Amino acid sequence: MRPWMGREEQEAAAEAIASGWVAQGPRVQAFEEAVGARVGTPHAVAVSSCTAALHLALVVAGIGSGDEVVVPSLSFIATANAPRYVGARPVFVDVEEATQNVTADTVAPALTPSTRAVIVVDQAGTPADVDGIRALCDPLGVTVVEDAACAIGSTRVGAPAGSRSEIAAFSFHARKVLTTGEGGMLVTSRGDYAARARRLREHGMSVSAAERHQSRQVVIEQYLETGFNYRMTDVQAAIGLVQLERLDAIVERRRHLAQRYQEALGDVPGLRMAVDPDGGRTNFQSFWVVLPEGAPDRDDVLRHMLSAGVSCRRGIMASHLEPAFAGDAHLPLPVTERLARRSLLLPLFHTMTHAEQDHVVGAFRRVLAPALA
Ligand SMILES: *Cc1c(COP(=O)(O)O)cnc(C)c1O
């Protein structure tokens, strides 16, 4: 992955610095409004990372000690860490093969009277079936939090990822399609959640620094509860505002390159690749492939690709196999374990040329050829 940034981002960052507002200020507010409008949610709260947004999402939803939070194991580790930040227990569930996402069917067996939330991940940008999972969870009073870290610009049933959940979290890390270097956004349909998240990101302060600055009176703030410093800076937000203008072009380009991969590798027997889900349109944040039976070991494939000058990555990780979660009991996770062992990510970035992509395809076909002959 390479971020796609240009002179416009450099100039926007320089303007923020010249303005004197280098911490959270008016550009952060403008970025929140722009992301909220793009995603179609009434409230957007900018924070320092998606991990921070997931933490605040669980706090504002009232999740705490002794509660169970259902999460896919097959996700970046931040998804599984979030429940632990609030003293809750992550309960791992499996994913469906085709999308690598949790579904109502994979979530249902894990629900207990202690389940208070489910974190649904739009894995690799592929929008999950949030409506189906909410149909299961809403009647039980279980909050659905959408980890849309990878999914800005993806849609499902015509609705932007993040817009069908009560709370969702986006990432703007350099590895994601839209980046501010580091950064995140909590979006929510609930004004009370947004207000509390705004306060918690800024030390639990009763009046924000921006409001005090604008006031003509002396304002003495209070600290209403234990908060955090999860603020985004105006330098980051200035970059984000420019990146948001590029989002449609980024998604179009990624979809074009993904389609080229699908065409160039479509004849490899048994190879599975990232595709649009039913009724959805992915931003192809990552282009995963699952190796067919008979293909070499995944790590050997990665080594062969590297020696051909192609830097790939292992596919989505399985959190329950990491030492940090080794002590946690879990249901059987056969699909997760197979995908974690047999998948990898092929390079995909906005400025990738067709010639570069053809080189990747050629190297990959050569690695697979002996096994498939
Ligand atoms: C990248 C990612 C995160 C973490 O995002 P940060 O902004 O780096 O905190 C969380 N969940 C998923 C699914 C991710 O891919």
Short mmCIF file of all heavy atoms in Angstrom, two decimals, residues 227-250:
data_model
loop_
_atom_site.label_atom_id
_atom_site.label_comp_id
_atom_site.label_asym_id
_atom_site.label_seq_id
_atom_site.Cartn_x
_atom_site.Cartn_y
_atom_site.Cartn_z
N GLY A 227 -11.69 11.23 31.47
CA GLY A 227 -11.63 11.18 30.02
C GLY A 227 -10.27 10.75 29.52
O GLY A 227 -9.47 10.17 30.27
N PHE A 228 -10.03 11.04 28.27
CA PHE A 228 -8.79 10.62 27.60
C PHE A 228 -8.30 11.76 26.74
O PHE A 228 -9.03 12.72 26.51
CB PHE A 228 -9.08 9.41 26.69
CG PHE A 228 -9.81 8.31 27.39
CD1 PHE A 228 -11.21 8.25 27.38
CD2 PHE A 228 -9.12 7.34 28.11
CE1 PHE A 228 -11.89 7.25 28.05
CE2 PHE A 228 -9.80 6.34 28.78
CZ PHE A 228 -11.18 6.29 28.75
N ASN A 229 -7.08 11.66 26.24
CA ASN A 229 -6.68 12.57 25.17
C ASN A 229 -6.67 11.78 23.88
O ASN A 229 -5.70 11.10 23.55
CB ASN A 229 -5.31 13.19 25.44
CG ASN A 229 -4.92 14.12 24.29
OD1 ASN A 229 -5.65 14.23 23.30
ND2 ASN A 229 -3.81 14.79 24.42
N TYR A 230 -7.79 11.85 23.16
CA TYR A 230 -7.96 11.13 21.90
C TYR A 230 -8.19 12.13 20.77
O TYR A 230 -8.88 11.83 19.80
CB TYR A 230 -9.16 10.17 22.00
CG TYR A 230 -8.89 8.86 22.71
CD1 TYR A 230 -9.95 8.05 23.11
CD2 TYR A 230 -7.59 8.41 22.95
CE1 TYR A 230 -9.72 6.83 23.72
CE2 TYR A 230 -7.37 7.18 23.58
CZ TYR A 230 -8.44 6.40 23.97
OH TYR A 230 -8.23 5.19 24.58
N ARG A 231 -7.65 13.34 20.90
CA ARG A 231 -7.94 14.36 19.89
C ARG A 231 -7.16 14.16 18.59
O ARG A 231 -6.03 13.69 18.60
CB ARG A 231 -7.58 15.75 20.45
CG ARG A 231 -8.58 16.26 21.46
CD ARG A 231 -8.15 17.57 22.06
NE ARG A 231 -6.91 17.43 22.80
CZ ARG A 231 -6.64 18.07 23.93
NH1 ARG A 231 -7.52 18.90 24.46
NH2 ARG A 231 -5.49 17.89 24.54
N MET A 232 -7.82 14.57 17.50
CA MET A 232 -7.15 14.71 16.21
C MET A 232 -6.59 16.14 16.14
O MET A 232 -7.10 17.03 16.82
CB MET A 232 -8.17 14.48 15.08
CG MET A 232 -7.60 14.65 13.69
SD MET A 232 -8.87 14.42 12.41
CE MET A 232 -8.78 12.65 12.20
N THR A 233 -5.57 16.36 15.31
CA THR A 233 -5.04 17.72 15.17
C THR A 233 -5.61 18.38 13.91
O THR A 233 -6.06 17.70 12.99
CB THR A 233 -3.50 17.70 15.05
OG1 THR A 233 -3.15 17.15 13.77
CG2 THR A 233 -2.85 16.90 16.17
N ASP A 234 -5.55 19.70 13.88
CA ASP A 234 -6.01 20.42 12.69
C ASP A 234 -5.12 20.15 11.47
O ASP A 234 -5.57 20.24 10.33
CB ASP A 234 -6.07 21.94 12.96
CG ASP A 234 -7.52 22.40 13.14
OD1 ASP A 234 -8.34 21.58 13.62
OD2 ASP A 234 -7.83 23.56 12.80
N VAL A 235 -3.85 19.82 11.71
CA VAL A 235 -2.97 19.48 10.58
C VAL A 235 -3.48 18.20 9.91
O VAL A 235 -3.58 18.10 8.68
CB VAL A 235 -1.50 19.30 11.05
CG1 VAL A 235 -0.60 18.98 9.86
CG2 VAL A 235 -1.02 20.56 11.76
N GLN A 236 -3.85 17.22 10.74
CA GLN A 236 -4.39 15.97 10.19
C GLN A 236 -5.72 16.22 9.48
O GLN A 236 -5.96 15.70 8.39
CB GLN A 236 -4.61 14.96 11.32
CG GLN A 236 -3.33 14.45 11.95
CD GLN A 236 -3.63 13.68 13.23
OE1 GLN A 236 -4.18 14.22 14.20
NE2 GLN A 236 -3.27 12.42 13.26
N ALA A 237 -6.59 17.00 10.12
CA ALA A 237 -7.92 17.25 9.54
C ALA A 237 -7.80 17.98 8.21
O ALA A 237 -8.57 17.73 7.27
CB ALA A 237 -8.78 18.04 10.52
N ALA A 238 -6.83 18.88 8.10
CA ALA A 238 -6.63 19.61 6.84
C ALA A 238 -6.29 18.64 5.72
O ALA A 238 -6.79 18.74 4.60
CB ALA A 238 -5.50 20.64 7.02
N ILE A 239 -5.45 17.65 6.04
CA ILE A 239 -5.09 16.61 5.06
C ILE A 239 -6.33 15.78 4.74
O ILE A 239 -6.62 15.48 3.57
CB ILE A 239 -3.95 15.73 5.61
CG1 ILE A 239 -2.67 16.55 5.79
CG2 ILE A 239 -3.70 14.52 4.71
CD1 ILE A 239 -1.57 15.84 6.58
N GLY A 240 -7.08 15.44 5.78
CA GLY A 240 -8.27 14.61 5.59
C GLY A 240 -9.30 15.25 4.68
O GLY A 240 -9.94 14.57 3.87
N LEU A 241 -9.46 16.56 4.80
CA LEU A 241 -10.44 17.27 3.95
C LEU A 241 -10.06 17.14 2.47
O LEU A 241 -10.92 16.97 1.62
CB LEU A 241 -10.52 18.74 4.36
CG LEU A 241 -11.36 19.01 5.62
CD1 LEU A 241 -11.05 20.39 6.21
CD2 LEU A 241 -12.85 18.88 5.31
N VAL A 242 -8.77 17.21 2.18
CA VAL A 242 -8.33 17.04 0.79
C VAL A 242 -8.51 15.59 0.34
O VAL A 242 -9.01 15.31 -0.75
CB VAL A 242 -6.85 17.46 0.61
CG1 VAL A 242 -6.40 17.27 -0.83
CG2 VAL A 242 -6.64 18.91 1.06
N GLN A 243 -8.12 14.66 1.23
CA GLN A 243 -8.26 13.25 0.90
C GLN A 243 -9.72 12.87 0.59
O GLN A 243 -9.98 12.06 -0.29
CB GLN A 243 -7.72 12.39 2.06
CG GLN A 243 -6.21 12.40 2.16
CD GLN A 243 -5.60 11.27 1.33
OE1 GLN A 243 -5.74 10.10 1.65
NE2 GLN A 243 -4.91 11.64 0.27
N LEU A 244 -10.63 13.46 1.34
CA LEU A 244 -12.05 13.14 1.14
C LEU A 244 -12.50 13.52 -0.28
O LEU A 244 -13.32 12.83 -0.88
CB LEU A 244 -12.87 13.88 2.20
CG LEU A 244 -14.25 13.33 2.57
CD1 LEU A 244 -14.19 11.85 2.96
CD2 LEU A 244 -14.83 14.15 3.72
N GLU A 245 -11.93 14.59 -0.80
CA GLU A 245 -12.23 15.00 -2.18
C GLU A 245 -11.75 13.94 -3.17
O GLU A 245 -12.26 13.84 -4.28
CB GLU A 245 -11.50 16.31 -2.52
CG GLU A 245 -11.87 17.47 -1.65
CD GLU A 245 -13.04 18.24 -2.21
OE1 GLU A 245 -13.01 18.56 -3.41
OE2 GLU A 245 -14.00 18.47 -1.44
N ARG A 246 -10.74 13.20 -2.78
CA ARG A 246 -10.16 12.20 -3.68
C ARG A 246 -10.84 10.84 -3.55
O ARG A 246 -10.52 9.92 -4.32
CB ARG A 246 -8.67 11.98 -3.33
CG ARG A 246 -7.77 13.16 -3.49
CD ARG A 246 -6.32 12.66 -3.38
NE ARG A 246 -5.35 13.72 -3.19
CZ ARG A 246 -4.74 14.37 -4.19
NH1 ARG A 246 -5.02 14.07 -5.44
NH2 ARG A 246 -3.86 15.31 -3.91
N LEU A 247 -11.73 10.71 -2.55
CA LEU A 247 -12.20 9.36 -2.21
C LEU A 247 -12.83 8.63 -3.39
O LEU A 247 -12.53 7.46 -3.63
CB LEU A 247 -13.18 9.43 -1.02
CG LEU A 247 -13.75 8.09 -0.55
CD1 LEU A 247 -12.65 7.13 -0.11
CD2 LEU A 247 -14.73 8.30 0.61
N ASP A 248 -13.71 9.30 -4.14
CA ASP A 248 -14.36 8.61 -5.26
C ASP A 248 -13.34 8.11 -6.28
O ASP A 248 -13.45 6.99 -6.78
CB ASP A 248 -15.39 9.53 -5.94
CG ASP A 248 -16.61 9.75 -5.05
OD1 ASP A 248 -16.95 8.83 -4.29
OD2 ASP A 248 -17.20 10.85 -5.12
N ALA A 249 -12.35 8.95 -6.56
CA ALA A 249 -11.32 8.55 -7.52
C ALA A 249 -10.51 7.37 -6.99
O ALA A 249 -10.17 6.44 -7.74
CB ALA A 249 -10.39 9.73 -7.82
N ILE A 250 -10.21 7.39 -5.70
CA ILE A 250 -9.45 6.29 -5.08
C ILE A 250 -10.24 4.98 -5.21
O ILE A 250 -9.69 3.95 -5.62
CB ILE A 250 -9.14 6.59 -3.59
CG1 ILE A 250 -8.17 7.77 -3.47
CG2 ILE A 250 -8.60 5.35 -2.88
CD1 ILE A 250 -7.93 8.25 -2.03
#
